[in-house]
Amino acid sequence: MSGSLPTEDPLIRMYRELKRALAKDQSQVKWAMVIDQAKCIGCHACAVACASENRLGPGVIYRPVIEQETGTYPNVGRRFLPRPCMQCENPPCVSVCPVTATWKNAQGVTVIDYNRCIGCRYCLAACPYGARCSDFGGFYTTRTAEEPGLVQGRYAARAYEKQNAPEYGQPWGERGKGSPVGNARKCHFCLHRLEVGQLPSCVTSCVGRATYFGDRTDPAALVSGLIGSARAYTLKPELGTRPAVFYLG
Ligand code: SF4
Ligand code: SF4
């Protein structure tokens, strides 16, 4: 048998690198994500973990997993493209906001101030990746209570859905009453987790270990090596948005 098994789970390495990055001057850190399409098995675990982490309601998704067909019949295949916000270095979504409710933070993450956002959706139209969505305040449990036979557990389910979203380290009002309902929403690399030394939810839940995360200014970081590989590419490079999310094709 050729080759050897990896001696360390990449999550352990990324946690070590995260600790190193958090010890730095934070203005010197630039977060980046790398997604290996050869390892993604299309299980959607990352999408579900993200929705659970951020208490996303119906119609709000930060990280869909898009299925792609490749090749020409009969030599066809299927691959998967998890698509979070690209955290563009040059984000078209920012300049269109009429109330400066969205901007890039020091670590390169495009954030939204829900208190300022008026829900005009200009940014949704401006994003070339479809990475933003509107939160209309729906609940997955809507109408469950009226269905005979589906009554059991409805209170627990609705209580879960009404929990505060932990985003941006602030307790938002009970879901359904004010922000972030009515606002634009998007992936933010789980900033609230990074601030307490945890990797983004999609990274830790990835069954195929296909998602990597770290500080791209650290030359020894796993992501830095992967970004420099010949397999690395970004989506729609011709637009000049300069994503901080890279794919390995
Ligand atoms: S939806 Fe909110 S963040 Fe987007 S452009 Fe309008 S005010 Fe700005
Ligand atoms: S992917 Fe879209 S929402 Fe994210 S920073 Fe780029 S333009 Fe903005």
Side-chain angles (χ1 to χ4, degrees):
M1 188 175 144
S2 63
S4 57
L5 291 171
T7 54
E8 184 180 66
D9 188 314
L11 276 178
I12 295 172
R13 176 174 173 183
M14 288 189 282
Y15 263 111
R16 199 165 51 239
E17 294 172 355
L18 177 61
K19 199 172 174 186
R20 196 159 70 222
L22 292 175
K24 283 171 62 174
D25 173 354
Q26 290 305 284
S27 67
Q28 302 303 309
V29 171
K30 288 282 177 279
W31 300 125
M33 183 173 282
V34 180
I35 299 170
D36 189 342
Q37 288 187 276
K39 289 188 173 173
C40 177
I41 58 171
C43 66
H44 297 255
C46 56
V48 173
C50 171
S52 173
E53 175 72 26
N54 293 295
R55 303 292 186 270
L56 307 184
V60 183
I61 184 161
Y62 289 176
R63 187 181 162 105
V65 179
I66 299 163
E67 297 190 15
Q68 299 176 318
E69 288 186 358
T70 58
T72 310
Y73 179 82
N75 301 311
V76 294
R78 175 171 284 188
R79 65 177 188 172
F80 305 97
L81 186 91
R83 204 252 30 237
C85 168
M86 300 292 123
Q87 315 297 353
C88 307
E89 204 174 315
N90 181 24
C93 58
V94 167
S95 56
V96 298
C97 181
V99 292
T100 57
T102 186
W103 65 90
K104 290 198 75 61
N105 78 0
Q107 294 83 40
V109 179
T110 307
V111 296
I112 302 171
D113 182 342
Y114 292 142
N115 288 325
R116 292 185 70 91
C117 175
I118 56 173
C120 68
R121 291 183 262 166
Y122 287 2
C123 57
L124 274 71
C127 172
Y129 303 101
R132 290 184 175 232
C133 45
S134 284
D135 189 341
F136 294 109
F139 292 101
Y140 285 106
T141 45
T142 297
R143 289 195 297 277
T144 299
E146 287 85 51
E147 297 288 337
L150 291 178
V151 173
Q152 190 177 9
R154 73 183 191 272
Y155 295 116
R158 181 56 64 90
Y160 173 79
E161 286 201 75
K162 290 179 84 170
Q163 285 179 2
N164 290 334
E167 293 165 278
Y168 308 124
Q170 297 181 48
W172 296 101
E174 187 181 285
R175 182 164 173 74
K177 294 179 184 170
S179 292
V181 172
N183 300 135
R185 298 190 69 180
K186 63 178 279 298
C187 160
H188 38 71
F189 276 174
C190 278
L191 280 175
H192 59 283
R193 288 173 61 95
L194 292 173
E195 284 164 4
V196 295
Q198 295 178 344
L199 289 164
S201 181
C202 56
V203 177
T204 58
S205 63
C206 179
V207 174
R209 291 289 186 272
T211 301
Y212 308 101
F213 184 86
D215 172 18
R216 64 184 295 191
T217 71
D218 177 355
L222 179 57
V223 289
S224 299
L226 294 173
I227 289 168
S229 94
R231 292 174 58 210
Y233 76 100
T234 56
L235 299 182
K236 302 185 179 180
E238 69 279 8
L239 298 180
T241 52
R242 304 179 67 187
V245 175
F246 294 79
Y247 293 89
L248 301 180

